[in-house]
Amino acid sequence: MAENSSDQEKTEEPTAKRLQQARDKGQVPRSKELGTAFVLVGAAIAMMIFGQSLANSLASVATSLFSLSRKQVFDVGEMSMVFGRILGEVGLPVLGFVVFLAVAAFVGNILLGGMSFSWQAAAPKMNKFNPLNGFKRMFGLQAVVELIKAIAKFSVVALVAWMLLSLYFDDIMAISTGTPFGAIAGSVSLLNKLFTLLCCSLLLIVIIDAPYQVWNHNKQLKMTKQEIKDEHKDSEGRPEVKGRIRSLQREMAQRRMMSEIPNADVVVVNPTHYSVALKYDKEQARAPLLVAKGTDEVAMKIREIAREYEVPVISSPQLARAIYYSTKLKKQIPDGLFTAVAQVLAYVYQLKQFQKGRGRRPIPLPDRMPIPDDLQVDSDGNPLTRE
């Protein structure tokens, strides 16, 4: 009796089929920390690229707004033009920042696990509405890991923020002593530097979390030895099904082979066991082709079809065995059998001419055909040895 797979320990690595089934269900390794880090680092890089342009635009907008006259402020048409200019100046750097951030968010979320969309994952599941399952998720191992990550992330970010504020405290205080435009430029530069360093601190969490998510995903998909066997059996097919398929394939191949017999030039037989059908087309091949062969019942069927379509049947046990064991279907006979087969074809041609009254009766074929020693076999297919 087979051991229940649920009682076995899952020690085997998941197969490619198991991984694909999990992907189809939307189960892929994901790291929220990696996505968050990519978004924040992307924002920092976007600030480096577009921050100065945005700061200059804001400074220009502030200058133009503070220089408006009372008449312009109360003129609706004038204010519409002002807002249009503001949108034109600020819109381009803001748009570049948003697009860069969107790309960073997309890449960060597919970097681990790749792109995956599953209707099965999107479909509502009733077990998610079960309070017991909710408590298990709240107090399970995964919840503990997430809590540890949250505490670690807060601690790392808080520590790095404190260190940065301590290190750049004098520079932050010095901003207020400069001119307005200098303060804006200095603030943007310092903000870029502090924000970038603060975001990079999250990479420490990502370095730990991403490999853990891959390991945890692989652990959840591990299989028992019985599951491996069952999957292999399902993939390869049940023995009885495979046997039936092979049987049907043999029947189809045999039917195709039998359909070639009416076009054969001659069928060479061993009166009790073997039949081989040969066809010679000198314009397409340099030697005769074996179009059909068989033993016992198949051999008898070949002879039956040959007689039905008036294909000459020649008895030559030695040659029939040699062709059967040395030549594959649809292949030319070996060079060593050219002479023997040529004699058979010549005899068949002369016999047809005699039957039409156009020649003499051909001389019967010799009992021993000119067959090389290495191609001679007995009735069991074993090579014949000469003393």
Side-chain angles (χ1 to χ4, degrees):
M1 185 175 178
E3 185 179 358
N4 192 341
S5 60
S6 62
D7 297 333
Q8 298 182 25
E9 186 178 356
K10 295 187 176 184
T11 58
E12 306 303 311
E13 293 296 320
T15 61
K17 182 179 179 180
R18 180 67 171 265
L19 292 172
Q20 185 59 46
Q21 288 176 341
R23 176 172 286 275
D24 293 340
K25 295 178 182 178
Q27 293 179 253
V28 292
R30 292 289 189 214
S31 172
K32 291 187 291 186
E33 312 308 327
L34 180 61
T36 302
F38 251 80
V39 170
L40 292 176
V41 172
I45 297 174
M47 285 290 291
M48 293 180 185
I49 299 173
F50 303 104
Q52 195 62 49
S53 174
L54 182 60
N56 294 335
S57 298
L58 290 174
S60 176
V61 167
T63 301
S64 61
L65 290 178
F66 282 117
S67 62
L68 290 175
S69 64
R70 185 176 183 277
K71 180 180 178 181
Q72 289 175 315
V73 171
F74 288 97
D75 188 339
V76 176
E78 183 68 25
M79 291 306 298
S80 298
M81 295 177 60
V82 170
F83 282 121
R85 289 197 301 271
I86 292 173
L87 185 62
E89 289 189 30
V90 179
L92 188 60
V94 169
L95 180 62
F97 181 87
V98 171
V99 170
F100 195 92
L101 206 60
V103 173
F106 177 77
V107 173
N109 281 283
I110 68 168
L111 192 62
L112 187 65
M115 292 186 62
S116 175
F117 179 80
S118 171
W119 287 109
Q120 296 183 44
K125 296 180 176 61
M126 295 306 298
N127 62 351
K128 292 185 177 180
F129 297 98
N130 189 337
L132 294 178
N133 292 336
F135 279 114
K136 289 179 181 179
R137 287 193 295 269
M138 290 174 59
F139 299 101
L141 177 62
Q142 189 66 27
V144 174
V145 172
E146 293 298 326
L147 177 62
I148 294 174
K149 285 196 305 181
I151 295 174
K153 184 164 56 175
F154 173 80
S155 302
V156 169
V157 173
L159 178 61
V160 173
W162 178 79
M163 293 172 61
L164 291 174
L165 288 175
S166 300
L167 185 63
Y168 290 96
F169 183 77
D170 293 338
D171 295 335
I172 295 172
M173 293 293 101
I175 292 176
S176 60
T177 62
T179 62
F181 287 102
I184 292 176
S187 299
V188 171
S189 176
L190 187 59
L191 180 62
N192 283 341
K193 185 183 297 184
L194 294 176
F195 186 62
T196 301
L197 292 174
L198 193 61
C199 292
C200 288
S201 66
L202 292 177
L203 296 178
L204 297 174
I205 305 297
V206 173
I207 291 173
I208 299 173
D209 183 62
Y212 168 77
Q213 295 299 337
V214 174
W215 172 84
N216 188 51
H217 175 73
N218 189 72
K219 179 186 176 183
Q220 292 175 349
L221 295 181
K222 277 192 172 183
M223 307 169 68
T224 65
K225 293 182 178 179
Q226 185 61 41
E227 288 175 333
I228 295 285
K229 292 178 181 178
D230 292 342
E231 182 182 295
H232 179 74
K233 189 179 293 183
D234 290 338
S235 300
E236 297 297 325
R238 302 287 177 179
E240 58 273 15
V241 175
K242 290 196 294 183
R244 178 58 179 165
I245 292 174
R246 284 196 295 266
S247 177
L248 292 173
Q249 289 173 340
R250 284 195 298 268
E251 290 178 7
M252 292 174 62
Q254 193 175 102
R255 282 196 294 269
R256 287 195 298 269
M257 182 183 72
M258 294 300 181
S259 67
E260 296 290 336
I261 297 173
N263 301 320
D265 292 316
V266 64
V267 173
V268 183
V269 303
N270 172 332
T272 56
H273 294 293
Y274 299 90
S275 292
V276 293
L278 302 173
K279 179 177 177 58
Y280 179 50
D281 187 346
K282 61 182 179 181
E283 295 181 357
Q284 296 184 0
R286 57 180 288 271
L289 298 178
L290 178 65
V291 297
K293 68 175 183 177
T295 61
D296 300 328
E297 294 181 2
V298 177
M300 298 300 295
K301 186 64 177 178
I302 291 174
R303 288 175 230 176
E304 180 183 334
I305 296 175
R307 293 191 179 96
E308 180 182 353
Y309 288 91
E310 298 182 351
V311 177
V313 178
I314 304 299
S315 177
S316 180
Q318 189 182 20
L319 180 59
R321 293 195 301 266
I323 294 174
Y324 182 89
Y325 286 108
S326 66
T327 311
K328 295 181 179 180
L329 282 174
K330 301 293 184 180
K331 299 296 182 182
Q332 297 180 10
I333 62 172
D335 296 351
L337 297 178
F338 281 5
T339 302
V341 173
Q343 289 184 15
V344 171
L345 291 175
Y347 174 80
V348 169
Y349 176 77
Q350 293 172 9
L351 183 61
K352 288 181 178 180
Q353 293 298 313
F354 170 73
Q355 291 172 347
K356 294 178 182 179
R358 298 177 184 176
R360 298 179 180 180
R361 180 185 293 274
I363 301 173
L365 292 170
D367 294 335
R368 297 190 63 84
M369 301 294 287
I371 300 174
D373 294 344
D374 59 328
L375 294 176
Q376 293 190 28
V377 294
D378 60 19
S379 59
D380 295 323
N382 300 315
L384 291 177
T385 57
R386 293 182 179 271
E387 297 295 335

